[in-house]
Amino acid sequence: MSQFFDQVYAVVQKIPIGRITSYGAIALYLGHPQSARMVGYAMNASHHRPDVPAHRVVNRNGMLTGKHHFHGSKLMQQLLESEGLMLKNDQIIDFEDFFWDPNTVLPPFEI
DNA sequence: ATCTTGACCTAAT
DNA sequence: CATTAGGCCAAGA
């Protein structure tokens, strides 16, 4: 089951193209407000899952803290830029404008 | 089995 | 302002 990881992947897959969200927002949505680290860990373990757009998940400041875990260190930035986002110094410009919050967009999470 | 290390976040100092 | 401390819990050594 590994519920939590799968739930994380399910949410990440719903992030629209060109939008991004944060680890903490996902953790909060799933009812684990203090388990943001686990969301990041789930991403680390999502390499063998092809349909999980891990590049659309950044930390709450819009910084690409996980870029080193991609195949190339530029890959994450390139993927985001190809979706229309602008980046500077590993940080998303106008992060708040592109932020996609599952807590306000998706229906309340239910077990 | 224990110890360490994290794609994090918040609250307190 | 910046820095620390604590909580979270899955893997690897």
Side-chain angles (χ1 to χ4, degrees):
Chain A
M1 289 314 183
S2 171
Q3 289 175 314
F4 189 72
F5 278 31
D6 289 330
Q7 288 163 5
V8 170
Y9 299 142
V11 175
V12 174
Q13 285 170 6
K14 291 178 181 173
I15 304 174
I17 294 175
R19 306 294 297 281
I20 34 82
T21 192
S22 74
Y23 305 95
I26 295 174
L28 180 63
Y29 177 69
L30 296 179
H32 296 259
Q34 297 183 309
S35 299
R37 284 184 100 160
M38 292 307 99
V39 177
Y41 204 91
M43 292 301 101
N44 192 23
S46 77
H47 281 275
H48 54 91
R49 307 226 176 187
D51 16 334
V52 179
H55 61 278
R56 297 191 194 132
V57 185
V58 296
N59 76 356
R60 69 146 201 149
N61 301 313
M63 199 172 215
L64 310 187
T65 52
K67 71 169 187 173
H68 283 124
H69 293 269
F70 281 81
H71 188 60
S73 48
K74 296 178 189 169
L75 183 58
M76 187 172 187
Q77 174 165 349
Q78 287 174 351
L79 286 170
L80 290 171
E81 287 178 338
S82 72
E83 295 185 357
L85 294 169
M86 297 171 294
L87 295 169
K88 187 168 190 176
N89 295 329
D90 295 337
Q91 195 147 354
I92 296 175
I93 299 176
D94 293 330
F95 170 67
E96 296 171 351
D97 292 341
F98 296 101
F99 186 71
W100 180 84
D101 187 359
N103 296 285
T104 61
V105 178
L106 294 179
F109 177 73
E110 295 177 17
I111 309 159

PDB file of all heavy atoms in Angstrom, chain A residues 48-60:
ATOM      1  N   HIS A  48      11.260   5.769 -10.338  1.00  0.00           N
ATOM      2  CA  HIS A  48      10.757   4.611 -11.090  1.00  0.00           C
ATOM      3  C   HIS A  48       9.293   4.777 -11.470  1.00  0.00           C
ATOM      4  O   HIS A  48       8.659   3.848 -11.922  1.00  0.00           O
ATOM      5  CB  HIS A  48      10.960   3.343 -10.259  1.00  0.00           C
ATOM      6  CG  HIS A  48      10.362   3.420  -8.893  1.00  0.00           C
ATOM      7  ND1 HIS A  48       9.090   3.023  -8.618  1.00  0.00           N
ATOM      8  CD2 HIS A  48      10.883   3.870  -7.718  1.00  0.00           C
ATOM      9  CE1 HIS A  48       8.843   3.215  -7.338  1.00  0.00           C
ATOM     10  NE2 HIS A  48       9.900   3.719  -6.763  1.00  0.00           N
ATOM     11  N   ARG A  49       8.748   5.968 -11.232  1.00  0.00           N
ATOM     12  CA  ARG A  49       7.354   6.233 -11.606  1.00  0.00           C
ATOM     13  C   ARG A  49       7.315   7.279 -12.705  1.00  0.00           C
ATOM     14  O   ARG A  49       7.488   8.464 -12.443  1.00  0.00           O
ATOM     15  CB  ARG A  49       6.574   6.756 -10.409  1.00  0.00           C
ATOM     16  CG  ARG A  49       6.704   5.836  -9.228  1.00  0.00           C
ATOM     17  CD  ARG A  49       5.358   5.630  -8.625  1.00  0.00           C
ATOM     18  NE  ARG A  49       5.455   4.674  -7.531  1.00  0.00           N
ATOM     19  CZ  ARG A  49       4.380   4.211  -6.914  1.00  0.00           C
ATOM     20  NH1 ARG A  49       3.193   4.621  -7.263  1.00  0.00           N
ATOM     21  NH2 ARG A  49       4.509   3.346  -5.949  1.00  0.00           N
ATOM     22  N   PRO A  50       7.101   6.860 -13.940  1.00  0.00           N
ATOM     23  CA  PRO A  50       7.192   7.731 -15.106  1.00  0.00           C
ATOM     24  C   PRO A  50       6.220   8.905 -15.103  1.00  0.00           C
ATOM     25  O   PRO A  50       6.570   9.991 -15.538  1.00  0.00           O
ATOM     26  CB  PRO A  50       6.908   6.793 -16.276  1.00  0.00           C
ATOM     27  CG  PRO A  50       6.281   5.576 -15.683  1.00  0.00           C
ATOM     28  CD  PRO A  50       6.745   5.493 -14.278  1.00  0.00           C
ATOM     29  N   ASP A  51       5.000   8.726 -14.625  1.00  0.00           N
ATOM     30  CA  ASP A  51       4.014   9.810 -14.739  1.00  0.00           C
ATOM     31  C   ASP A  51       3.952  10.738 -13.535  1.00  0.00           C
ATOM     32  O   ASP A  51       2.935  11.343 -13.280  1.00  0.00           O
ATOM     33  CB  ASP A  51       2.627   9.252 -15.039  1.00  0.00           C
ATOM     34  CG  ASP A  51       2.535   7.765 -14.765  1.00  0.00           C
ATOM     35  OD1 ASP A  51       3.567   7.110 -14.820  1.00  0.00           O
ATOM     36  OD2 ASP A  51       1.433   7.276 -14.512  1.00  0.00           O
ATOM     37  N   VAL A  52       5.032  10.861 -12.818  1.00  0.00           N
ATOM     38  CA  VAL A  52       5.047  11.791 -11.692  1.00  0.00           C
ATOM     39  C   VAL A  52       5.938  12.988 -12.030  1.00  0.00           C
ATOM     40  O   VAL A  52       7.152  12.872 -12.045  1.00  0.00           O
ATOM     41  CB  VAL A  52       5.583  11.111 -10.418  1.00  0.00           C
ATOM     42  CG1 VAL A  52       5.627  12.095  -9.267  1.00  0.00           C
ATOM     43  CG2 VAL A  52       4.712   9.918 -10.058  1.00  0.00           C
ATOM     44  N   PRO A  53       5.325  14.132 -12.333  1.00  0.00           N
ATOM     45  CA  PRO A  53       6.098  15.325 -12.691  1.00  0.00           C
ATOM     46  C   PRO A  53       6.726  15.970 -11.457  1.00  0.00           C
ATOM     47  O   PRO A  53       6.259  17.009 -10.983  1.00  0.00           O
ATOM     48  CB  PRO A  53       5.050  16.241 -13.330  1.00  0.00           C
ATOM     49  CG  PRO A  53       3.759  15.844 -12.691  1.00  0.00           C
ATOM     50  CD  PRO A  53       3.881  14.384 -12.355  1.00  0.00           C
ATOM     51  N   ALA A  54       7.771  15.386 -10.968  1.00  0.00           N
ATOM     52  CA  ALA A  54       8.399  15.851  -9.734  1.00  0.00           C
ATOM     53  C   ALA A  54       8.965  17.259  -9.856  1.00  0.00           C
ATOM     54  O   ALA A  54       9.158  17.944  -8.859  1.00  0.00           O
ATOM     55  CB  ALA A  54       9.498  14.874  -9.333  1.00  0.00           C
ATOM     56  N   HIS A  55       9.217  17.693 -11.102  1.00  0.00           N
ATOM     57  CA  HIS A  55       9.806  19.031 -11.275  1.00  0.00           C
ATOM     58  C   HIS A  55       8.816  20.140 -10.940  1.00  0.00           C
ATOM     59  O   HIS A  55       9.195  21.282 -10.791  1.00  0.00           O
ATOM     60  CB  HIS A  55      10.325  19.177 -12.701  1.00  0.00           C
ATOM     61  CG  HIS A  55       9.258  19.035 -13.746  1.00  0.00           C
ATOM     62  ND1 HIS A  55       8.811  17.800 -14.188  1.00  0.00           N
ATOM     63  CD2 HIS A  55       8.543  19.953 -14.429  1.00  0.00           C
ATOM     64  CE1 HIS A  55       7.869  18.003 -15.111  1.00  0.00           C
ATOM     65  NE2 HIS A  55       7.682  19.289 -15.262  1.00  0.00           N
ATOM     66  N   ARG A  56       7.525  19.778 -10.846  1.00  0.00           N
ATOM     67  CA  ARG A  56       6.524  20.806 -10.526  1.00  0.00           C
ATOM     68  C   ARG A  56       6.342  20.970  -9.030  1.00  0.00           C
ATOM     69  O   ARG A  56       5.445  21.671  -8.593  1.00  0.00           O
ATOM     70  CB  ARG A  56       5.184  20.461 -11.172  1.00  0.00           C
ATOM     71  CG  ARG A  56       5.271  20.439 -12.677  1.00  0.00           C
ATOM     72  CD  ARG A  56       3.902  20.368 -13.335  1.00  0.00           C
ATOM     73  NE  ARG A  56       4.054  20.019 -14.741  1.00  0.00           N
ATOM     74  CZ  ARG A  56       3.344  19.064 -15.347  1.00  0.00           C
ATOM     75  NH1 ARG A  56       2.432  18.406 -14.700  1.00  0.00           N
ATOM     76  NH2 ARG A  56       3.551  18.813 -16.607  1.00  0.00           N
ATOM     77  N   VAL A  57       7.185  20.325  -8.258  1.00  0.00           N
ATOM     78  CA  VAL A  57       7.101  20.464  -6.809  1.00  0.00           C
ATOM     79  C   VAL A  57       8.396  21.106  -6.304  1.00  0.00           C
ATOM     80  O   VAL A  57       9.481  20.574  -6.504  1.00  0.00           O
ATOM     81  CB  VAL A  57       6.908  19.099  -6.132  1.00  0.00           C
ATOM     82  CG1 VAL A  57       6.697  19.280  -4.642  1.00  0.00           C
ATOM     83  CG2 VAL A  57       5.719  18.372  -6.739  1.00  0.00           C
ATOM     84  N   VAL A  58       8.248  22.240  -5.680  1.00  0.00           N
ATOM     85  CA  VAL A  58       9.413  22.952  -5.154  1.00  0.00           C
ATOM     86  C   VAL A  58       9.155  23.300  -3.688  1.00  0.00           C
ATOM     87  O   VAL A  58       8.078  23.006  -3.176  1.00  0.00           O
ATOM     88  CB  VAL A  58       9.671  24.238  -5.954  1.00  0.00           C
ATOM     89  CG1 VAL A  58      10.031  23.917  -7.386  1.00  0.00           C
ATOM     90  CG2 VAL A  58       8.463  25.149  -5.901  1.00  0.00           C
ATOM     91  N   ASN A  59      10.107  23.921  -3.041  1.00  0.00           N
ATOM     92  CA  ASN A  59       9.856  24.246  -1.643  1.00  0.00           C
ATOM     93  C   ASN A  59       9.012  25.509  -1.546  1.00  0.00           C
ATOM     94  O   ASN A  59       8.659  26.118  -2.534  1.00  0.00           O
ATOM     95  CB  ASN A  59      11.172  24.359  -0.868  1.00  0.00           C
ATOM     96  CG  ASN A  59      11.893  25.647  -1.149  1.00  0.00           C
ATOM     97  OD1 ASN A  59      11.465  26.433  -1.977  1.00  0.00           O
ATOM     98  ND2 ASN A  59      12.981  25.874  -0.462  1.00  0.00           N
ATOM     99  N   ARG A  60       8.691  25.916  -0.369  1.00  0.00           N
ATOM    100  CA  ARG A  60       7.678  26.958  -0.218  1.00  0.00           C
ATOM    101  C   ARG A  60       8.167  28.334  -0.655  1.00  0.00           C
ATOM    102  O   ARG A  60       7.399  29.283  -0.752  1.00  0.00           O
ATOM    103  CB  ARG A  60       7.201  26.998   1.220  1.00  0.00           C
ATOM    104  CG  ARG A  60       8.269  27.508   2.138  1.00  0.00           C
ATOM    105  CD  ARG A  60       7.646  28.273   3.237  1.00  0.00           C
ATOM    106  NE  ARG A  60       8.607  29.166   3.853  1.00  0.00           N
ATOM    107  CZ  ARG A  60       8.220  30.303   4.374  1.00  0.00           C
ATOM    108  NH1 ARG A  60       6.982  30.663   4.304  1.00  0.00           N
ATOM    109  NH2 ARG A  60       9.095  31.047   4.955  1.00  0.00           N
TER     110      ARG A  60
END
